[in-house]
Each structure stands twice: as C-alpha cells, then as structure tokens.
Amino acid sequence: MNQPLNVQQLGLSYGDLHVFNDVCFALESGEIGCLLGPSGCGKTSLLRAIAGFEQAHSGHIDIAGETVAGPQCWQAPEQRQVGMVFQDFALFPHLTVAANIAFGLEQNKAKQGEFASKAQREARVTQLLELVNLSQYANAYPHQLSGGQQQRIALARALAPKPALLLLDEPFSSIDTELREQLAVQIRAILKAEQTAAILVTHDQQEAFTIADRIGVMRDGRLRQWALAAEIYRRPADRVIAEFIGRGVFIDGIMSDARHAQTALGELPVDYVAAAVDAETSADEARSGQAVQVLIRPQQLSVNTDDGVLAQVEQTRFRGAVSDYHLRVEHEAGAQHLICEMPTRSQGSEHHSQQLKVRFNDRQALAYPHSS
Amino acid sequence: MVVLLALPVLVVLGQFLTPSSETWSHLADTVLWDYVKNSLILTASVGLLSLIFGIAPAWLVAMCDFPGRRWFEWALLLPLAMPAYIIAYTYTGLLDFSGPLQSLIREWSGWGYGDYWFPEIRSMGGAIVLMALVLYPYVYMMVRAAFVNQSLCVLEVSRSLGQGPWRTFYRLALPLARPAIVAGVSLAMMEALADYGTVQYFGIGTFTTGILRTWYGFNDLPAAAQLAGVLMIFVIALLVLERFSRRNARYHHTSRRHQALRRIPLKGSRAWLATAVCLGLVAAGFLIPAAQLLQWAYKTAAHTLDEAFLGLLWNSLYLAAITALSALVLALLFAYAQRLSKRAWVNGAVRMAGMGYAVPGMVIAVGVLVPFGWFDRTLDDWMRAQFDISTGLLLSGTLFALVFAYLVRFLAVSINAVESGLSRVTPSMDEAARSLGLGTWGVLGRIHIPLLRGSLLTALLLVFIDVLKELPATLILRPFNFNTLAVRTFELAGDERLADASAPALAIVLAGLIPVIMLSRAITNSRFEEESGA
C-alpha cells in the first residue's frame, strides 16, 4: 500500500518572506501525525499547502503515491484525495447535518463508482452518523448543535468520501477546555476505526500527545524534528525542542567523558544529543571538557535522600495533585535552578523547611551543546 | 466603472473651479442667502425635533413597560414608509382652510373666515413638524438598538453604585447612546436637506428648489450645478459627522454579554401617558395620513384607477425593476472583487461607489445632466461637422440617464445588503467545499447562491422601493412625457388635486411598507433572542 503522504523539500514564500522551508516528512497508512509549534511557525500554511489552498514554490507532495504538487504539476484542492476539518468547522448553514455529510459524496468524481447510487450514499451517511454518535441529529441544522457536536459533524463530512488523508487545522481551538481531551480521544478512535491517515496542526502539546502517533515540531518555518510521540519527549533533537516539549530546566555541565557530565548534582550519566540543525557546532561525540547544558525534568529528581545535594527552597507552588518546588543549588559555576515535582498526600506533609536534599534519580539525562 | 459612478458627484464639486456666470452673481445677490438660511433652519430644526420625537419613544420602549409596548416597538417604524412630500400633501388637505378639520371648527362655532386663528400648515413650521414626523424613526431605530445593547453591564453597575433609574438614564444611558443619536439625527438631517417635494409644495426656498428654479427658470445649468455644489458641502459635513460618530460607536460595547434588562413597569397615569406619546407619534406620522389617503383613494377610485394609472404603475415598476437588477449585478461584481482581491484600493473604490446614497437626488440629477449634455452636444457637433448628421440627444433625457442616476444614488443599498450576506460565507466554507470536490463554479452554485438568496432579495427589494419613492432625480431626468407614480403625485398635488393624487401616493406608501415590515421583523427576532437569553 502506498504511503498516504510524502512531503519532500517543500518550501513556501511570499516574496522575501519565507513561510516554511525544506520540509520533509512522511506518514504511514493509518497513522495520525501532528504538526506542533507556536503560532506563526508556518504549520497552518504547511497544512494548507498539502490541501492545495497554497501553492508551494519548491519541493513536492505525494498523496497516496500520486504527486499532487511538484515542479511540473499542481492539482487543485478538489482533485486531491484530501479531506479537511477547519478551525471554525465551516459547516454549510443551509444544509442539514445529513446533507452536510453527503455533500462530498455527490461531488467526488474519483469515488463515483463506490457512491454512485443514492442508497450507497445514504448508507455511508448513516454509517458515519453512527461512528460519530450523532444519529439522532441527521435532520438538524448545524446551528442547533453544540460546538463539540459540530466538530464531529465536520469530521464526518470530511471522512465521508474516504479521503486518503485527512487534515485537521487546530481542531480544538473553539472547544471548551474541559471537552478538549475527551474529544481528542474520541477523534483518535474515529480515525482509527476509519483507518484514515491524518495530519493535525496544534500549538497545544497535550492535544498532540493525546491524539497523535507521530509528532513534528515546527519552529520558524522549519520542521525541527519528526518522530514518534514518545521519542519526541524522551529525546528532543535540540535544546529549543527540549524547552518546548514537556517541563524541565537546564543546568550547566562539563563533559568528563563521552557519557558523563559533571554538574551541580554531581556526575550524571548523560546522552549527548548533537545539534543536527546548527552545522557548525555539530559533532557526533562530545569531547571531554566540553561545556554542555543538561536537561533535568521534574520527575527525574527525588528529594530528601541521604546522599543528595543540599538545595535552598525558593518557592513552592501547589498545583493540586502535585506541588512544584523551585530549588537553588550552589555550584562553582554559579547558582543552578531546578524544579522538582512531588505528589500531594492526604496528610499535610509539605516540606516547609527552607532546605532539603535533592538527587538525580534516573538512568540518564540529556546533554545538549552549550549555546545552541 | 467606479469613476463613472462617482462622476456626478465629482462634476458637481468641480463646478467650484469654473468661472461663475451672471446668473450666479445674480443669485448670490438675491436669493442665495435665503436658500442657505432656509436650508439651515429646516435641517437643524428637523434634526432637533426628530431627536425629541425619536429618543422619547426609544427610551420608553427599551426601558419601561406599559400597555402596547410590544406593538409600539415595531409600529413606531411605520412613518418610514411615508415619503415626506406625501405626508405634506395629506396634511395640507386635512388642515387647510377648506379641509375637514377647519370646516368642522367653523360648523361648531359658527365662525367665519378670519374669525379665528389656525396654524398655517404650508409654512416653514409645518414643513419642520411634518418632516420630523416621518424622519424620527431613523433616530428611534438607532437609539433603541443602542439602549437595548448597553443593557446590563453598565446600567447595573450604576444602580449598584446607588444611582436611581432616572439618574442612570441621564448620566449613563443617554451619553452612552450618543453615537447612535448622532448617527440617527444626521441621517434625518440628510433626508431633510435632500427633500424637494415638501419644500416646493410649501413654497419654501431651499437649495433643492433653488437648483431646479435656476435650471428651468434661468436655463443656467452651470449655476444650478454650482448651487448643487454648495449643497454638497453641507451633505459632506453631515456625512463626516455620521461616520465619525459610528467610528466611536465601536468602543461603546464594553461587554459581549447580553441579558435582558429589567424594564421599569409604569403604572396608572404614567403608563397611559407613555402609551399616548407613542400612539400619538404613530398616528400623526402614519395612521392619520394613511387613513386620509385611503379615504380619498376610495372616493376617487372611479376616475383615478384608469388606464393612465396602470401606465404610471407600469412605468414605475419597470424602472424600479431595471434599476434594482442592475444595482444587484454591480453590487455582486464589487463585492466579489473585494472578496477575491484584498487590496486596499479595491476596498476604497467600492466605498466610493457607495458614496452616492448620501447625495441628494437633486444634486445627482444635475451631476448627470452636465456631463451627459456635454457628451451629447460634442458628439452632435462632431457628427454634423463630419457627416452632416445630427445625433440629437443620445444620453440626456433618456431612461438610460435616469437609471444611471438611480444607480449612483442607490448602489450603496445594494452593496451593503450583498456584503452583509457575503460576510456570513466564511472563506473556510469555500475551502471546505473545494476539499470535498467542488470546483470554483460549483462553490458559487451550491454554497454561495443558496446562502446569499435572502440578502440578494433584500438588495433587490430595497433598491426597488427607493426608486419608487425617488422624486427630484426622476423629475429632472425623466424623458419627455414619461410619468411615474412619484412624479404624478407631485404634479397632481401641485395642481391642488390632492384627492386625485391619493391613488399613486397610496401605491408608493404601500410599497414603502415592505422594508418597514422587514425591519420590524428583524426587531421582533432580536427581541426573541434577548428574551431567550442568547
């Protein structure tokens, strides 16, 4: 089976303004991908280029093995096997829910065979309404539905013609925060049931981790890393991504050998992540004596251990299930700041003391070249 | 296209650059000052009076509860259907010496002519009151909306800070509604300035009557155009005022939350007074003149509803239909140009094309006559010199010139309706349809046209009715012996055949009711939303 999506060296610019550059990634069939990045990083433009609403100036896009955009060819959006769910859902207000879903079935010439008869189209609409669990609303109009329901209808409408690839543009931005996670789980289940490959765009990493198999982090028009969701969290490809994904702080360190760094927390086993983007500082192996930045996640620390390092408590923040401790550790290279997280227990056992001992409690930390 | 549409206004303004004729200096020496004075008095007084007529019921309806409030909410708009010149004829028929009211007084008291004092309706005062009676709905409409919108947030704060409901009105509600008040009053003043039928009938010398007299009487088109130019300055001043107040209006909505405000229930004599005020306005502005027109029309039906009347009706209807359709086509063209290319100059051009609505029909008529006449003369001269053929008047005095003038004046109505419809079709709807396999034309046919149908119909209807009512431009530009309902009403009334004028007048009023009904439906709907807490 062909890859549902393959993007190579794609670039888009308006005059001198580069929206994105040299973007390469691919999606396996049935996979859900997510483009994650702050607003203005070019992720929505990338999505629109895949859909055909923007024309890239370089590189090419293959959808289901067919080149839809490249140096010699460009397919209009209506000819591509792509479904799209818009930020504002863009349901057609003059059509019922069922007619909205059926809309693409009547139009799509490529699928003429499968949905040629009215009965086939009706069966498909019924099937999708069941899938999104809104069968009773078939004859309602979009404005009669809640935001979450509208979103599921928009999803059903985009899925109806069985596109090779589904695109979702900030699908949860107009949904109440409480509903987002629940909807994300539902949508993931629906996409998996339809076995449709999908790309969504978001700036919320929680959403990205809930829904996606693969995540791409975008910054300043570049796709900095494209990897499985767990891989992105475990081994961010550079410092910027490491700062963006999950929580954590950097402390200074000096490499004592290729696998260990000397820090305020003592000598830590580290995995040195060579900068892939900035070619000039790039070296696969860390030299002994090289200055590095070591990423310490809150979960990697334990406090009040016997063999820990003495730390000053600067601030505590109660966050419900857990409390954050902002710590300061004195070190020859200057004071180092750390955050550690501790579960809140039923009995008030919060550390009121101004000092406690802290220890690195994981197999390995990540070290990044200094000043990358 | 835009340049062509802006041409009449530009021509009139350009008249300041041409050397003034003898007529002009004669005008300046004699009547010009009267025109300025009368126009200013009329406009300012109509503005003031419609301010009072408009705010009082707006406040009562929005803030208080009294018998008949729901009915008055939309009934107070009815006078909008009554063109000023028609109400002027009707009241003249009702109130002058031989009218039913004075006859009744004489019958009861046995007085004869000159034995008693009765206000002369055909005077400046009469014109002011009558115009205010049909123009106050502009103020009412905008101020009521402002009161309803400001509802909860600010007013409750004021009450919680210890201000009573009356002080809240003076200190907060009224100042907050100021942009709406200014916008409504300036609309009413623009209409007063543009009026020709009423002032002509009452024999008041204003700019509009002066322009026509200069042109017909002195046969001096340039001087007429210069007068029109002076009138334009007043209009521009009002326009600037209105735009300015609208810009500020945006900042006056501090909260998005809408919650029905609790109305003050009026009891006893106060409640009846409120009802009487509203009823008085509706009756004076619409019910009484409409009843009088009906009575006249019924009495004269036998000899007015003849073939000639059908001819008038046909002329009016097809003129209005042609204009409405052309305006719609142009408006669609402009609106799509604006949607597809987001450049600033396209936007500016569309605004410019819509400018004509503020310009008095009289000014546009003159602005059309000058360039069209020049074109006809030049072409005629050239053809004679070259081929010894006289082309005569190709453009001026034709239906084309008339429709063109209407388009200049009413295109804005059409553009607004189409734009507001198109704004509901979001760009992502276009894209959604395309990603579902529809081409450009498919998007137009399956998405845009069904969604726009209502707005397109509104655009057609509003222009249609505006054309039916328009008097001065029709009067000047119509082809020889071509009559419409409005022109015939004007002519018959001018000949003191008021009863005979009632049939065409009534037809115009009936047509004018359609947009009023549409407006009141919009008000009823918004009230429904208010009360369901949406």
Coordinates of all heavy atoms in Angstrom, one line a residue, chain B residues 2 333-353 419:
Chain B
V2 N -16.2 52.5 -11.4 CA -16.3 53.3 -10.2 C -16.2 54.8 -10.5 O -17.0 55.6 -10.0 CB -15.2 52.9 -9.2 CG1 -15.2 53.9 -8.1 CG2 -15.5 51.5 -8.7
L333 N -20.7 42.3 -8.4 CA -19.4 42.4 -9.1 C -18.4 43.1 -8.1 O -17.3 42.6 -7.9 CB -19.6 43.4 -10.3 CG -18.7 43.1 -11.5 CD1 -19.0 41.8 -12.1 CD2 -18.8 44.3 -12.4
F334 N -18.8 44.2 -7.4 CA -18.0 44.9 -6.5 C -17.7 44.0 -5.3 O -16.5 43.9 -4.8 CB -18.7 46.2 -6.0 CG -18.6 47.3 -7.0 CD1 -19.7 48.0 -7.3 CD2 -17.4 47.5 -7.7 CE1 -19.6 49.0 -8.3 CE2 -17.3 48.6 -8.6 CZ -18.5 49.3 -8.9
A335 N -18.7 43.3 -4.7 CA -18.5 42.6 -3.5 C -17.5 41.4 -3.8 O -16.6 41.1 -2.9 CB -19.8 42.0 -3.0
Y336 N -17.6 40.8 -4.9 CA -16.7 39.7 -5.2 C -15.3 40.2 -5.5 O -14.3 39.6 -5.1 CB -17.2 38.8 -6.4 CG -18.1 37.7 -5.8 CD1 -19.5 37.9 -5.8 CD2 -17.6 36.6 -5.3 CE1 -20.3 36.9 -5.3 CE2 -18.4 35.6 -4.7 CZ -19.8 35.8 -4.8 OH -20.6 34.9 -4.2
A337 N -15.2 41.4 -6.2 CA -13.9 41.9 -6.4 C -13.2 42.2 -5.1 O -12.0 41.9 -4.9 CB -14.0 43.2 -7.2
Q338 N -14.0 42.7 -4.1 CA -13.5 43.0 -2.8 C -13.0 41.7 -2.1 O -12.0 41.7 -1.4 CB -14.5 43.7 -2.0 CG -14.0 44.6 -1.0 CD -15.2 45.4 -0.3 OE1 -16.3 45.1 -0.7 NE2 -14.8 46.2 0.6
R339 N -13.8 40.6 -2.3 CA -13.6 39.4 -1.6 C -12.3 38.7 -2.1 O -11.5 38.2 -1.4 CB -14.8 38.5 -1.7 CG -14.7 37.2 -0.9 CD -15.9 36.3 -1.2 NE -15.8 35.0 -0.5 CZ -16.3 34.8 0.6 NH1 -16.9 35.7 1.3 NH2 -16.3 33.5 1.1
L340 N -12.2 38.7 -3.5 CA -11.1 38.0 -4.1 C -9.8 38.7 -4.0 O -8.8 38.1 -3.8 CB -11.5 37.7 -5.6 CG -12.7 36.8 -5.7 CD1 -13.0 36.5 -7.2 CD2 -12.5 35.5 -5.0
S341 N -9.8 40.0 -4.2 CA -8.5 40.7 -4.0 C -8.6 41.6 -2.8 O -9.5 42.4 -2.7 CB -8.2 41.6 -5.2 OG -8.6 42.9 -5.0
K342 N -7.7 41.4 -1.9 CA -7.9 42.0 -0.6 C -7.1 43.4 -0.6 O -6.7 43.8 0.5 CB -7.4 41.1 0.5 CG -8.2 39.9 0.6 CD -8.3 39.2 2.0 CE -9.5 38.4 2.2 NZ -9.7 37.4 1.1
R343 N -6.9 43.9 -1.7 CA -6.1 45.2 -1.8 C -6.9 46.4 -1.3 O -8.1 46.4 -1.4 CB -5.6 45.4 -3.2 CG -4.5 44.4 -3.6 CD -3.8 44.8 -4.8 NE -3.2 43.6 -5.4 CZ -3.8 42.9 -6.4 NH1 -4.9 43.3 -6.9 NH2 -3.2 41.8 -6.8
A344 N -6.2 47.3 -0.8 CA -6.8 48.5 -0.2 C -7.6 49.3 -1.2 O -8.6 49.8 -1.0 CB -5.8 49.3 0.5
W345 N -7.0 49.4 -2.4 CA -7.6 50.3 -3.4 C -9.0 49.8 -3.9 O -9.9 50.5 -4.2 CB -6.7 50.7 -4.6 CG -6.4 49.5 -5.5 CD1 -5.3 48.7 -5.4 CD2 -7.2 49.1 -6.6 NE1 -5.3 47.8 -6.4 CE2 -6.5 48.0 -7.2 CE3 -8.4 49.5 -7.2 CZ2 -6.9 47.3 -8.3 CZ3 -8.8 48.8 -8.3 CH2 -8.1 47.8 -8.8
V346 N -9.1 48.4 -3.9 CA -10.4 47.9 -4.3 C -11.4 48.2 -3.3 O -12.5 48.7 -3.6 CB -10.3 46.3 -4.4 CG1 -11.6 45.7 -4.7 CG2 -9.3 45.9 -5.5
N347 N -11.0 48.1 -2.0 CA -11.9 48.5 -0.9 C -12.3 50.0 -1.0 O -13.5 50.3 -0.9 CB -11.1 48.3 0.4 CG -12.0 47.9 1.5 OD1 -13.2 48.2 1.5 ND2 -11.5 47.1 2.4
G348 N -11.4 50.8 -1.3 CA -11.7 52.2 -1.4 C -12.6 52.5 -2.5 O -13.5 53.3 -2.4
A349 N -12.4 51.8 -3.7 CA -13.2 52.0 -4.8 C -14.6 51.7 -4.6 O -15.6 52.4 -5.0 CB -12.6 51.2 -6.0
V350 N -14.8 50.6 -3.8 CA -16.2 50.1 -3.5 C -16.9 51.1 -2.6 O -18.0 51.5 -2.8 CB -16.2 48.7 -2.9 CG1 -17.5 48.3 -2.4 CG2 -15.7 47.7 -3.9
R351 N -16.1 51.6 -1.6 CA -16.7 52.7 -0.8 C -17.1 53.9 -1.6 O -18.1 54.5 -1.3 CB -15.6 53.1 0.3 CG -15.3 52.1 1.3 CD -16.4 52.1 2.4 NE -16.5 50.7 2.8 CZ -17.5 49.9 2.3 NH1 -18.4 50.3 1.5 NH2 -17.5 48.6 2.7
M352 N -16.3 54.2 -2.5 CA -16.5 55.4 -3.3 C -17.8 55.2 -4.2 O -18.6 56.1 -4.2 CB -15.3 55.6 -4.3 CG -15.4 56.9 -5.1 SD -13.9 57.8 -4.8 CE -13.8 58.5 -6.4
A353 N -18.0 54.0 -4.7 CA -19.1 53.7 -5.5 C -20.4 53.8 -4.6 O -21.5 54.1 -5.1 CB -19.1 52.4 -6.1
E419 N -22.9 42.6 0.7 CA -21.7 42.5 1.6 C -22.1 41.8 2.9 O -21.4 40.9 3.3 CB -21.1 43.8 1.9 CG -20.0 44.2 0.9 CD -19.4 45.5 1.3 OE1 -19.9 46.2 2.3 OE2 -18.4 45.9 0.7

